[in-house]
């Protein structure tokens, strides 16, 4: 099983970016942990980060026919990007939306997601732990498919 983890804008700054909100783990540490957990589950995960909406759309397109499932923390694009929603629906790859912070306890503009209603599931609020939980959920979902 081949998975893709997509990290959106500003997540390259994890570790130093608002640590009270997002924790102290760097993106590299999160990716290392994801790969390690994926290995334990017997799956592979490729990790991609961009600050650019079009680059995220392109990476999703490239996943078509190559990837069984996507973990996506689209960062602020979660709340704004119809293009990323359309790309995910176009490639028809099951995806889990995740966030480090609990977006529902934050500003009202973070309460809406353009991705959530078509996701397999949504995980938020567990800091870096959200990634592992999302991975487990996605793998369990894919394995349950006939
Ligand atoms: C975030 C939440 C978003 O609202 C925010 O724009 C981010 C990070 C999170 O992981 O908590 O960049 O996706």
């Amino acid at each position: 099983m081949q998975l893709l983890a997509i990290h959106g804008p500003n997540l390259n700054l994890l570790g130093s970016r608002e640590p009270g909100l997002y924790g102290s783990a760097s993106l590299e540490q999160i990716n290392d942990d994801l790969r390690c957990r994926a290995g334990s589950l017997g799956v592979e995960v490729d990790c991609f980060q961009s600050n650019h909406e079009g680059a995220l759309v392109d990476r999703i397109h490239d996943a078509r026919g190559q990837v069984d499932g996507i973990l996506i923390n689209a960062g602020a694009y979660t709340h704004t990007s119809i293009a990323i929603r359309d790309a995910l629906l176009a490639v028809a790859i099951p995806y889990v939306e995740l966030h480090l912070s609990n977006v529902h306890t934050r500003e009202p503009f973070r309460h809406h997601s353009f991705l959530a209603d078509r996701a397999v599931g949504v995980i938020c609020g567990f800091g870096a732990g959200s990634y592992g939980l999302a991975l487990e959920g996605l793998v369990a979902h894919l394995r349950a498919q006939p």
Side-chain angles (χ1 to χ4, degrees):
M1 190 184 289
Q2 185 66 46
L3 304 180
L4 171 64
I6 296 182
H7 311 285
N10 300 306
L11 296 173
N12 54 312
L13 299 182
L14 285 176
S16 62
R17 174 194 181 195
E18 297 183 86
L21 196 51
Y22 297 120
S24 56
S26 67
L27 187 60
E28 197 180 348
Q29 288 169 330
I30 286 173
N31 284 339
D32 284 348
D33 185 60
L34 257 185
R35 288 190 201 98
C36 184
R37 286 170 187 273
S40 307
L41 292 169
V43 305
E44 280 185 29
V45 63
D46 187 29
C47 302
F48 178 79
Q49 189 276 331
S50 178
N51 295 319
H52 304 279
E53 189 175 23
L56 295 165
V57 168
D58 285 344
R59 186 63 189 88
I60 292 166
H61 290 180
D62 290 346
R64 184 161 50 170
Q66 310 291 318
V67 162
D68 302 296
I70 295 176
L71 302 169
I72 182 162
N73 181 353
Y77 287 142
T78 306
H79 319 297
T80 64
S81 181
I82 298 171
I84 291 175
R85 174 195 177 88
D86 284 351
L88 288 164
L89 299 187
V91 299
I93 299 171
Y95 64 92
V96 171
E97 172 186 331
L98 71 112
H99 303 281
L100 296 111
S101 64
N102 181 350
V103 287
H104 300 289
T105 63
R106 300 181 61 193
E107 303 96 321
F109 61 81
R110 295 184 204 275
H111 297 178
H112 178 258
S113 164
F114 278 102
L115 314 181
D117 65 304
R118 300 297 294 271
V120 171
V122 179
I123 305 275
C124 70
F126 296 94
S130 291
Y131 285 90
L133 292 169
L135 175 71
E136 282 181 26
L138 181 59
V139 170
H141 170 81
L142 293 172
R143 288 198 167 140
Q145 299 309 300

